[in-house]
Amino acid sequence: MKTELSKRIISSLILIPLSFYIIIQGNILFNFFLALCYLISIYEWFMMSKKNFFKYFGIIFLSSSFIIVYLLRNYDPCCNNYHLGLRLFLVTTLICIFTDIGGYIFGKFLKGPHLTKISPNKTYSGLIGSYCLPILSIFILAKINIYELELNLKMLTFILIVSSISQIGDIIISYFKRISNIKDTGKIIPGHGGILDRIDGMIFAFPASYITYLHFIKF
C-alpha cells in the first residue's frame, strides 16, 4: 500500500508540473501531447470494452471531448480572446486535478461511509474533499493574482459544476471498468494506472466547462 502511494505521489509531482508547462506552451508541443493522450486513451478504451456493445459510443464520446479540448486551447471559440481561453483551460484543469486529489486524500485518511457500489473507494468524506480542494486552490491563485482570478459567486458556482461533472465522469468510467472486470485501464502511469484512469473526469468536465462558460457563467 505504501509503495503504491509513493508511486502515486512521485508520478503526480512529475506529471502535474509537466502537464501545465505543456498546456501553457501550447502550439506543436501541446498538440503532440494531446494527440498522444488521445491515441493511448482510445487504445485503452478499446481494449477495455472490445467485447461490449458500448465500445463505439465511447470512441465517439472520447473523440468529441478531445476535439473540444483541442479547439479550446488552440482557437478559443468561446472567449474570442487567447488569454481568456487559456485561463478557462487552466482553471478547468486545476479543478479536475484538485477534485481528484481532494477526493483521494480525504477519502483515504478520513474514510467513512461509501458513496456508491460502482466505485467502492469513493466515500462521502472524499466527496467533501473533492469540492474543498478545488475551491482552496482557486482561492490561493486569486490571492496571488494569477490570471486575474476572483473567487466570487460565479467562480464558486463554476467550480461546483465542473467538479461535480468530473466526479460523475470518474464514476461512469469506474462503472465501465467494473463491467469489463478490470481495476485500471492501463499501467502506463506508476501508481495511477492508464491515461484514461487519470483523465476520466476531464473528458466529461471539459465539454461541461465549455458549455457552462459559453452559455451560463463567465468569470
Side-chain angles (χ1 to χ4, degrees), residues 38-110:
Y38 170 71
L39 292 173
I40 296 173
S41 299
I42 287 290
Y43 172 78
E44 289 177 347
W45 171 261
F46 184 79
M47 294 304 294
M48 178 181 73
S49 62
K50 60 183 178 182
K51 295 181 181 179
N52 297 294
F53 72 93
F54 53 76
K55 61 176 177 281
Y56 299 111
F57 295 103
I59 290 172
I60 292 170
F61 178 78
L62 270 171
S63 300
S64 301
S65 180
F66 270 87
I67 288 171
I68 289 174
V69 171
Y70 172 81
L71 290 175
L72 182 57
R73 182 63 188 88
N74 286 282
Y75 295 109
D76 187 17
C78 67
C79 305
N80 297 317
N81 182 292
Y82 176 83
H83 295 292
L84 287 178
L86 176 59
R87 183 175 70 166
L88 174 60
F89 196 103
L90 290 172
V91 167
T92 303
T93 303
L94 274 171
I95 294 170
C96 291
I97 289 174
F98 283 102
T99 291
D100 187 53
I101 293 174
Y104 181 81
I105 292 175
F106 276 58
K108 185 173 181 61
F109 293 102
L110 298 181

Side-chain angles (χ1 to χ4, degrees), residues 125-181:
S125 61
L127 179 67
I128 294 171
S130 292
Y131 288 119
C132 288
L133 229 59
I135 293 172
L136 178 62
S137 68
I138 299 300
F139 173 78
I140 293 171
L141 291 178
K143 281 296 181 182
I144 59 178
N145 197 30
I146 298 293
Y147 285 103
E148 300 178 354
L149 295 176
E150 293 182 37
L151 189 60
N152 50 29
L153 183 59
K154 285 185 177 181
M155 177 62 80
L156 184 60
T157 305
F158 184 82
I159 292 170
L160 294 177
I161 291 172
V162 174
S163 179
S164 297
I165 297 297
S166 180
Q167 292 177 67
I168 291 170
D170 190 341
I171 292 172
I172 290 173
I173 298 300
S174 293
Y175 171 72
F176 287 121
K177 287 193 289 187
R178 194 176 182 87
I179 290 176
S180 304
N181 197 31

